Amino acid sequence: GAVVSQHPSWVICKSGTSVKIECRSLDFQATTMFWYRQFPKQSLMLMATSNEGSKATYEQGVEKDKFLINHASLTLSTLTVTSAHPEDSSFYICSAPPGTSGAGELFFGEGSRLTVL
Amino acid sequence: DAKTTQPNSMESNEEEPVHLPCNHSTISGTDYIHWYRQLPSQGPEYVIHGLTSNVNNRMASLAIAEDRKSSTLILHRATLRDAAVYYCILRDFSGNTPLVFGKGTRLSVIA
């Protein structure tokens, strides 16, 4: 079946540094990818929609200058957390639909756990 | 997206069937009913989805009420590996939209 892979699985960084998380669709092309974050004991919250070849669409309250999203190819989207701070520590998850219809299933990456010291 | 209502938590004995309910009284005619689950420290995993008719796959069964205002995910024999948070989500078939997650139901399985 379709697979979505994230890298890294976990990362620890110092406050003020930037961290890049990659999301790849391994056996299908994804014109759209979705980025979520999840704080402990909470549900997934949609951050942004990544569109290949165009600007990402951010949800209300998500700073687009802090969470840079690039979807340069049909199999790769990246999320860069710029100038990370401890409050950015979270579980970041990407998702990609293999089709263009809402009738199909979505595939999720394994998640990337970011810890900012 | 229309909202869904699920119990916060449920408990099941191992090897017993589990029925996880979901209410979606404001569902529209173009909404598919999706179920995903999330094991600890992992991304969500697709379980099953349907529109009007009951659906079966290797993981579970989905029973959809005739008026589509509720559905039930059925795990036929719960195992310890089924302990997870189960999310019932409505998704419009007409567009490539993201899943909007509620709080889900935390299923505990007792050996």
Side-chain angles (χ1 to χ4, degrees), chain A residues 18-36:
Chain A
S18 295
V19 174
K20 181 185 286 188
I21 299 170
E22 294 185 346
C23 179
R24 293 181 185 274
S25 57
L26 297 184
D27 54 359
F28 66 96
Q29 294 182 333
T31 56
T32 301
M33 288 186 178
F34 306 113
W35 286 94
Y36 297 83

Side-chain angles (χ1 to χ4, degrees), chain B residues 35-37 45-49 57 59-61 73 75 86:
Chain B
W35 283 83
Y36 286 74
R37 71 179 185 182
E45 174 187 28
Y46 168 79
V47 178
I48 201 166
H49 76 289
N57 66 21
M59 289 183 69
S61 294
L73 178 70
L75 306 180
Y86 287 78

Side-chain angles (χ1 to χ4, degrees), chain A residues 36 38 43 97 102-104 106, chain B residues 34 36 38 49 91 93 96 99 102:
Chain A
Y36 297 83
Q38 185 176 33
S43 187
L106 275 73
Chain B
H34 286 250
Y36 286 74
Q38 186 179 25
H49 76 289
R91 188 177 187 229
F93 83 87
N96 205 0
L99 294 175

Side-chain angles (χ1 to χ4, degrees), chain A residues 59-74:
Chain A
E59 295 299 302
Q60 191 173 9
V62 178
E63 300 175 57
K64 62 180 181 180
D65 294 330
K66 182 170 184 62
F67 298 99
L68 301 179
I69 291 174
N70 184 282
H71 195 152
S73 79
L74 288 171

